[in-house]
Amino acid sequence: MRDLERAEPAVEEAQRAVSGIKKQQLSEVRAMANPPAAVKLALESVCVLLGQRQTDWKALQGAVRRDDFIASIVNFDADRHLPRALRSHVRRTYLERPEFNFEMVNRASKACGPLVKWVAAQVEYAEILERVAPLRAEVAQLELDAEAAKARAAELQRAIGVLEASIAQYKDEYARLIAETERLRGEMARVEAKVARSVRLLTSLESERARWEQSSRAFAAQMGTLVGDVVVGGALLAYGGAYDQQYRTRLVRRWLAQCAQSAISVNTDERVGDLVSSAEARLAWQAHGLADDALAMENAAMLAHFRRFPLVVDPSGAAARFIEQLEGAAGRRLTVTSFLDAAFLKQLEAALRFGNAILIHDAEHVDPILNPVLNRELRRTGGRV
């Protein structure tokens, strides 16, 4: 068996060498009219192994010209096509001749050198196969016995599987009974928990009912002062922007007195600025730097609800910073410029064209170029406003 293991790599190496023969090298052999004896001897031995009876040079040339010449050599099966008589003939006629060796033939033709190796390897391999044939038969018999043993083992394994399935079935039935017992226990525990939650819910609903009643009364109070809140808040937005905090307070007092004379209820528990803004908006304004006082909240509400263009009196610059932070947080582009800026006209034109907000500093004296914008003097040109 070790000889067989050594011979198989030799055969594979010879087959790779034959596969590496180039077409140009074969063409040179085909073109030989009177080949060297070593070349003819190599091709003759190959054709004999392949089963060709005629060994004259023309017949050998015809064999080489076949498209499957190399493929038939590479795919040759020594175990089936190389009997003892043919091996003896090849060994006596070719292999035992001193000129039938790789070096001499390879010098004569690069295409025939690998063929010599292949012939020698195939004959050696076939002889080894014949010697190990009894061992191979014995191995085959052992494999059959092993298959029979495997079949018997499989049969026993199936019997064991049936027994294990029965045991598993009994275990499953026992587990189901235990699981049913645990389920009943769990169900009892869940029912007890539901009863406890129901008792707690009934207790909490009493306090929730009181809260709902309080919310309902508060909503009714808000609905009762809705008209007055809208009147005072709207008046503040429409007329209070031009005045300071002291004068706004006086105005609000007069409005409240007028509402009282007209029997209009107003919510006096909150600041007037809180009537025209939501709690969420006020928290967002404070997050962007707005002070939490009545004047600041009223001014921010006016900026949020303006219909014209706000003019902000801002000596400290706090309002400008608040506007910049608010616009930046909202993701809107804000153009900050001044009448003193040399690029003011371009910035104004860009803001008008792209719809961006614009904040103009130093507005003590308004440039007349803004008048058409402030007056909203629109015209259509080519379908555009």
Side-chain angles (χ1 to χ4, degrees):
M1 296 298 288
R2 292 181 179 177
D3 294 340
L4 183 61
E5 293 176 356
R6 289 195 298 269
E8 287 178 347
V11 171
E12 292 175 357
E13 182 182 356
Q15 288 176 340
R16 286 194 298 270
V18 172
S19 299
I21 297 175
K22 299 178 181 179
K23 291 184 178 181
Q24 182 181 359
Q25 295 171 345
L26 283 178
S27 299
E28 293 176 357
V29 174
R30 297 189 195 108
M32 293 180 181
N34 188 17
V39 173
K40 184 176 182 300
L41 196 65
L43 290 177
E44 185 177 333
S45 64
V46 172
C47 291
V48 168
L49 283 186
L50 295 178
Q52 183 172 328
R53 296 183 178 180
Q54 296 181 357
T55 57
D56 58 284
W57 180 241
K58 288 186 178 181
L60 297 178
Q61 282 180 318
V64 175
R65 287 192 180 96
R66 292 203 309 267
D67 295 336
D68 63 341
F69 177 67
I70 297 297
S72 61
I73 296 174
V74 173
N75 299 323
F76 182 77
D77 187 359
D79 194 12
R80 296 175 56 190
H81 303 296
L82 199 54
R84 179 184 297 180
L86 181 58
R87 292 198 310 271
S88 300
H89 172 71
V90 171
R91 183 171 289 282
R92 290 194 310 271
T93 308
Y94 303 107
L95 296 180
E96 294 180 356
R97 299 176 66 168
E99 66 272 19
F100 192 83
N101 62 76
F102 172 75
E103 289 76 11
M104 293 182 62
V105 176
N106 198 54
R107 283 196 298 270
S109 171
K110 297 294 183 182
C112 295
L115 298 179
V116 171
K117 274 190 175 182
W118 178 79
V119 171
Q122 291 292 343
V123 172
E124 181 69 20
Y125 181 64
E127 291 176 349
I128 294 173
L129 286 177
E130 184 178 5
R131 289 199 300 270
V132 300
L135 295 177
R136 296 175 67 189
E138 184 178 353
V139 170
Q141 184 60 42
L142 291 175
E143 290 177 350
L144 291 176
D145 295 342
E147 291 296 330
K150 287 181 181 179
R152 177 59 180 166
E155 183 179 354
L156 294 176
Q157 193 66 33
R158 285 193 295 271
I160 294 172
V162 172
L163 295 176
E164 289 180 346
S166 300
I167 295 173
Q169 182 179 357
Y170 295 140
K171 287 183 178 179
D172 290 342
E173 292 178 358
Y174 176 75
R176 282 196 295 272
L177 293 175
I178 296 298
E180 184 66 17
T181 303
E182 294 297 326
R183 186 187 67 79
L184 292 175
R185 290 178 181 175
E187 188 67 23
M188 291 177 62
R190 285 194 293 272
V191 170
E192 292 176 355
K194 287 180 180 178
V195 171
R197 287 198 299 271
S198 299
V199 172
R200 291 195 299 270
L201 180 61
L202 291 174
T203 304
S204 62
L205 283 177
E206 293 296 331
S207 59
E208 189 67 17
R209 178 181 178 182
R211 189 183 66 82
W212 289 341
E213 291 177 351
Q214 182 180 0
S215 299
S216 178
R217 289 192 296 269
F219 179 73
Q222 291 177 0
M223 292 300 295
T225 62
L226 179 62
V227 175
D229 295 343
V230 171
V231 170
V232 175
L236 177 66
L237 292 179
Y239 305 107
Y243 305 106
D244 58 11
Q245 187 173 12
Q246 182 178 3
Y247 198 79
R248 288 183 191 177
T249 304
R250 292 171 58 187
L251 284 176
V252 170
R253 288 175 181 171
R254 293 183 61 183
W255 294 335
L256 292 176
Q258 187 66 37
C259 287
Q261 292 177 8
S262 303
I264 300 175
S265 300
V266 182
N267 184 3
T268 58
D269 296 334
E270 297 185 10
R271 298 179 301 189
V272 180
D274 296 345
L275 300 177
V276 291
S277 62
S278 63
E280 293 82 0
R282 293 194 293 274
L283 289 175
W285 295 339
Q286 293 178 35
H288 293 98
L290 186 67
D292 185 17
D293 58 67
L295 180 63
M297 291 297 171
E298 292 171 3
N299 290 336
M302 294 175 188
L303 287 174
H305 297 91
F306 67 85
R307 297 294 300 274
R308 301 298 294 270
F309 301 98
L311 176 64
V312 182
V313 180
D314 182 29
S316 64
R321 290 191 296 271
F322 166 69
I323 294 173
E324 293 176 10
Q325 292 182 18
L326 190 64
E327 292 294 317
R332 296 186 292 266
R333 184 174 179 180
L334 176 66
T335 302
V336 180
T337 183
S338 169
F339 286 121
L340 304 178
D341 193 338
F344 170 72
L345 291 180
K346 292 183 179 180
Q347 293 171 336
L348 176 62
E349 181 181 357
L352 290 172
R353 175 173 298 178
F354 300 108
N356 300 327
I358 185 168
L359 178 61
I360 305 173
H361 290 286
D362 305 322
E364 288 84 357
H365 303 285
V366 178
D367 193 323
I369 198 171
L370 278 181
N371 289 338
V373 178
L374 298 177
N375 296 329
R376 297 181 181 272
E377 298 176 4
L378 306 178
R379 60 188 177 89
R380 290 185 177 274
T381 303
R384 295 178 57 189
V385 177

